[in-house]
Amino acid sequence: MKHYYTEMRSPVGKLKLVSDDKSLVAVLWENESPRRVPLPDLVKNPKHEILIEAVKQLQEYFAGERKEFDLPLNPLGTPFQKEVWKALGKIPYGVTRSYGELAKSIGNPNASRAVGAANGKNPLSIIVPCHRVIGSNGKLTGFAGGLNAKEILLKSESH
């Protein structure tokens, strides 16, 4: 199966959006490590309908006009990672959760570290809101896009 990409500018830097034929597969950061989200070879296709819709919805999000995304998603990961990413998708706009709270929400309260690792591998940054997960002390913690991007995203959601 082929994978396609396009790029867009955003308030948190240039983003690379990746899809397969039917779904959005990844939203990657400008200085993304290829090891974080391994993908096959990509073909540039800014006219792919899923990528066009993803760009539109992200632009609406950054403009404060969208709080939820409505896109077909197909993140590549293990069953545990997909369970964590599904739980991430349930964190409401403008709300944060700790890694421990996220672990409890999937019925595995002792899995905070594993949840953190899965969170760090989330290929659908922003769309699947891993930026809404913070440390139990309320501090911002690691984020693939950098803590500055995480802070920008959280501040934009607090209005």
Side-chain angles (χ1 to χ4, degrees):
M1 178 182 292
K2 282 192 175 186
H3 284 76
Y4 309 95
Y5 79 95
T6 193
E7 295 174 330
M8 69 176 281
R9 297 241 169 246
S10 81
V12 289
K14 187 164 67 172
L15 301 173
K16 180 185 275 188
L17 286 61
V18 180
S19 76
D20 58 22
D21 290 328
K22 299 177 184 167
S23 308
L24 190 66
V25 175
V27 176
L28 305 174
W29 302 97
E30 190 166 4
N31 298 314
E32 184 75 55
S33 164
R35 290 187 310 267
R36 190 180 79 81
V37 179
L39 291 167
D41 289 338
L42 305 175
V43 176
K44 188 168 189 170
N45 185 357
K47 297 189 186 300
H48 191 286
E49 69 180 71
I50 289 169
L51 296 174
I52 289 170
E53 183 61 24
V55 167
K56 176 182 168 274
Q57 289 190 26
L58 280 163
Q59 288 170 335
E60 292 168 352
Y61 168 83
F62 288 121
E65 300 164 358
R66 175 175 289 276
K67 295 183 179 187
E68 293 180 11
F69 294 94
D70 182 22
L71 295 162
L73 305 177
N74 186 24
L76 307 173
T78 67
F80 178 77
Q81 287 171 331
K82 288 180 180 185
E83 182 181 16
V84 171
W85 301 337
K86 186 175 179 182
L88 285 173
K90 294 177 183 173
I91 302 173
Y93 181 93
V95 174
T96 58
R97 299 274 189 266
S98 70
Y99 294 99
E101 289 170 320
L102 197 57
K104 285 179 194 152
S105 79
I106 63 168
N108 202 338
N110 296 323
S112 294
R113 288 184 195 265
V115 162
N119 196 49
K121 294 279 189 178
N122 171 25
L124 289 160
S125 297
I126 305 166
I127 305 278
V128 175
C130 52
H131 60 278
R132 295 181 188 152
V133 181
I134 59 174
S136 59
N137 60 1
K139 301 243 185 212
L140 299 188
T141 56
F143 186 60
L147 292 183
N148 186 49
K150 186 172 191 166
E151 185 174 8
I152 290 168
L153 293 169
L154 291 174
K155 279 186 177 175
S156 74
E157 290 186 9
S158 67
H159 300 322

